Amino acid sequence: MCHMPTDTDLFAITFDQDFFYKYLPRMADPDRIAALLKQPVMKVASNGLHMCRERLLKIFSHAMLPVAGDQLRQDEQSERSARREEALELALLGELLGLLSAPDCDPHHHLSTVRSYIVDKLHRQIIEDATNVPSIFEVCQRLRVSRRTIQNSFRTVAETTPLNYLRCVRLNGVRRELLSSEDASIGDIASRWGFFHLSHFAEDYRALFGELPSQTARRPAQIVLQ
């Protein structure tokens, strides 16, 4: 999710949990999809992903079209907007579950439970307490595994090193706050995510996102899909 190789695009959506599980039984194999969702990283076939991307672009293009009916009463306009929003959410959820229900997205072909657990454990840990980033030595002590096991787990699951993965998680956290906050202090947000050397932070941020934090902060506040 947060490892961003060259020429990689990141697109993420958050669904309400109750809405998600209400929709899940409509799929052909909900138990299989539920098993897939326990994996911290899931890979799908590139062809299926490309086709899904094209459909998503059409969905968003349609959703951004102006709503006809300027003469409608305010309550009627609100009702129409609510229906459009629900239709958009259902379409996006359908695409996501469609990817997960594809035959080539098989939980049995995914990574070992131990390696996935290690990556997931550290990911949750850094989200819950981003200011106290553990060293690799501390991670080994907490999980009672060797340094090599930690390194191999991240190489297999996330295709990067544990330090780079944790740094990317925190940088993405900073970016989300910058995009969703008004008059935010870059230094305050960076420190909340464990970055205390601002020049190094700015260099890492630009390397990952292609722009400085100050450029991100100057954009109008927006709702960020996570």
Side-chain angles (χ1 to χ4, degrees), residues 176-184 216-224:
R176 284 195 299 272
E177 288 201 38
L178 289 175
L179 287 171
S180 60
S181 302
E182 294 183 357
D183 301 323
T216 304
R218 284 197 293 268
R219 296 179 185 173
Q222 56 186 271
I223 297 174
V224 181

Side-chain angles (χ1 to χ4, degrees), residues 125-138:
Q125 200 171 73
I126 201 67
I127 293 296
E128 293 170 359
D129 188 10
T131 57
N132 296 310
V133 184
S135 66
I136 297 300
F137 177 74
E138 290 172 327

Side-chain angles (χ1 to χ4, degrees), residues 1 33 40 50 63 80 95-97 103 118 126 136 139 182 202:
M1 172 182 171
I33 295 176
H50 174 74
R80 178 172 292 188
E95 287 295 335
L96 171 63
L97 292 177
I118 289 173
I126 201 67
I136 297 300
V139 170
E182 294 183 357

